[in-house]
Amino acid sequence: FSRAVQCIELATGRMVCIKIIRNNKDFFDQGIGEVKLLRHLNTYDPHDRCHVLRLYDYFYYKEHLFIVCELLRDNLYELYKYIYKSTWVTYF
C-alpha cells in the first residue's frame, strides 16, 4: 500500500526516508493513524531514549500522503548484513 524511498533533505543534507502512501481512502486513513502514533511517541520521547522511529514531517501532494522520517538503513539487505556481523540475535 506504500513505497519507501531514500532521499536527501536539501535544507540539511541529511538522509531521510520518505514513505509514499497510495491514493486510497483506507490506505490514507491508515497512514494518518501512523502519523498520529509516531507524533505521540516522539512527543513523549524527545531525547530518543527509547529509540522510536523519528517522524520529521508529513504532507499531502497530488492526492498522496508523504511521511518523512529518519532513515534506519539503506535497505533490508544492509540491515541483515549489519545484524549478522553484530552481536544481535537474528530473527530469521
Side-chain angles (χ1 to χ4, degrees):
F1 76 96
S2 66
R3 179 174 299 242
V5 293
Q6 179 179 338
C7 300
I8 298 175
E9 186 179 22
L10 296 177
T12 63
R14 70 180 168 188
M15 299 297 289
V16 296
C17 175
I18 298 182
K19 185 174 181 180
I20 306 165
I21 310 293
R22 287 188 186 168
N23 180 19
N24 176 299
K25 183 180 177 348
D26 293 332
F27 297 155
F28 177 79
D29 290 343
Q30 187 174 358
I32 290 296
E34 184 176 336
V35 167
K36 287 180 182 178
L37 177 65
L38 286 173
R39 285 179 64 190
H40 179 76
L41 292 173
N42 288 177
T43 299
Y44 289 99
D45 185 23
H47 303 294
D48 200 23
R49 291 190 179 123
C50 296
H51 308 291
V52 175
L53 181 70
R54 307 311 294 176
L55 174 70
Y56 296 139
D57 199 5
Y58 63 95
F59 56 93
Y60 192 70
Y61 180 73
K62 292 192 177 184
E63 301 183 8
H64 295 280
L65 177 63
F66 291 74
I67 301 173
V68 183
C69 55
E70 69 178 318
L71 179 66
L72 298 178
R73 286 281 170 193
D74 294 339
N75 55 45
L76 288 176
Y77 178 69
E78 294 297 324
L79 177 62
Y80 179 73
K81 285 191 332 187
Y82 176 78
I83 291 172
Y84 184 74
K85 291 178 183 177
S86 71
T87 58
W88 290 5
V89 176
T90 56
Y91 296 105
F92 42 88

